[in-house]
């Protein structure tokens, strides 16, 4: 940096064989540059040069990054859709008066990026796990209570313990999320009470209190 800069010109190319072209500018005091409209799973290369009223500087060293896919399939025996949760801070915990002790104090947590299953594990997916491993069936599996078991293939499996869920995840080549990962994926980053905001649940937003949208 120098005190004579007006700003920076940012140039980008796709892949090692591409040709650089200007993709944007940034003011002299900029500490970051956001480049939108990129293609998932693509390698991009960047270089910058300072400019002022008399001309441009030489180019910076080249930097590169590969964009991450927002949605993937996990592969393996489960092969389910997974969604990227981007790296960054989120507000964890609660300030509500009736919050339990381990939810306080509300605090900021940084997490690296990770993938989370897009959908709950269905009875059909859990059946595949049972068939492959001989794992013990959940308590409601045979009775069909709470829409559990093979007669309700698209419903989420219920009645599983933490150990059951852990065994399923390992069979699928995954792992269970940490408490912080689950909370960030479920509520977002800004400390809201619900994924959709502060308004309480109702039948237009979720299967809630016996009401189904």
């Amino acid at each position: 940096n120098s005190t004579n800069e007006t700003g920076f010109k940012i140039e980008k190319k796709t892949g090692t064989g591409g040709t650089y072209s200007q993709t944007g500018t940034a003011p002299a005091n900029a500490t970051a540059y956001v480049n939108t409209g990129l293609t998932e799973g693509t390698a991009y290369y960047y270089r910058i040069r300072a400019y002022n009223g008399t001309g441009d500087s030489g180019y910076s060293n080249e930097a590169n990054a590969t964009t991450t896919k927002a949605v993937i399939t996990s592969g393996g025996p489960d092969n389910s859709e997974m969604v990227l949760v981007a790296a960054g801070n989120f507000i964890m915990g609660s300030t509500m008066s009736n919050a339990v002790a381990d939810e306080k104090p509300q605090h900021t947590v940084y997490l690296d990026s990770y993938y989370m299953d897009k959908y709950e594990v269905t009875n059909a997916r859990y059946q595949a796990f049972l068939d492959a491993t001989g794992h013990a069936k959940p308590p409601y599996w045979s009775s069909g209570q709470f829409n559990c078991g093979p007669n309700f293939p698209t419903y989420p499996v219920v009645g599983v313990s933490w150990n059951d869920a852990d065994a399923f995840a390992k069979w699928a080549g995954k792992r269970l999320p940490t408490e912080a990962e689950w909370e960030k994926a479920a509520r977002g980053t800004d400390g809201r009470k619900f994924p959709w905001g502060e308004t309480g649940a109702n039948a237009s937003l979720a299967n809630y209190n016996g009401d189904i949208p």
Side-chain angles (χ1 to χ4, degrees):
N1 280 1
S2 75
T3 57
N4 298 322
E5 297 159 352
T6 302
F8 299 97
K9 297 177 180 179
I10 298 96
E11 296 186 357
K12 177 185 71 178
K13 70 176 182 177
T14 303
T16 56
T19 302
Y20 274 107
S21 61
Q22 186 169 317
T23 188
T25 60
N29 63 350
T31 58
Y33 174 74
V34 177
N35 190 192
T36 60
L38 303 179
T39 303
E40 295 178 356
T42 302
Y44 292 96
Y45 291 77
Y46 294 87
R47 64 186 185 186
I48 63 174
R49 64 194 309 178
Y51 70 92
N52 57 27
T54 61
D56 297 347
S57 72
Y59 289 109
S60 67
N61 291 332
E62 189 176 69
N64 68 287
T66 300
T67 53
T68 304
K69 290 186 177 181
V71 179
I72 63 170
T73 51
S74 62
D78 187 42
N79 200 34
S80 59
E81 270 193 302
M82 303 186 78
V83 177
L84 177 70
V85 181
N89 293 327
F90 84 104
I91 299 174
M92 184 174 182
S94 176
T95 59
M96 297 176 63
S97 60
N98 62 348
V100 297
D102 66 1
E103 294 180 304
K104 297 179 179 181
Q106 195 172 75
H107 56 290
T108 299
V109 174
Y110 173 85
L111 294 176
D112 291 334
S113 62
Y114 58 97
Y115 285 97
M116 181 79 77
D117 273 14
K118 185 175 182 179
Y119 302 108
E120 296 169 304
V121 177
T122 62
N123 289 318
R125 290 168 61 191
Y126 203 76
Q127 178 75 68
F129 159 67
L130 297 178
D131 291 344
T133 64
H135 191 84
K137 298 174 182 177
Y140 311 115
W141 192 260
S142 299
S143 69
Q145 190 176 4
F146 305 117
N147 297 324
C148 184
N151 292 330
F152 304 92
T154 61
Y155 283 70
V157 65
V158 297
V160 297
S161 67
W162 184 93
N163 288 321
D164 294 331
D166 184 55
F168 176 90
K170 288 176 178 175
W171 167 78
K174 306 175 188 179
R175 63 170 176 83
L176 295 181
T178 65
E179 180 183 2
E181 287 171 339
W182 168 250
E183 185 166 332
K184 183 179 182 181
R187 81 187 296 192
T189 61
D190 57 4
R192 62 185 62 192
K193 293 180 182 178
F194 302 98
W196 52 80
E198 300 301 312
T199 305
N202 59 60
S204 70
L205 299 167
N207 297 343
Y208 177 72
N209 199 29
D211 293 325
I212 300 175

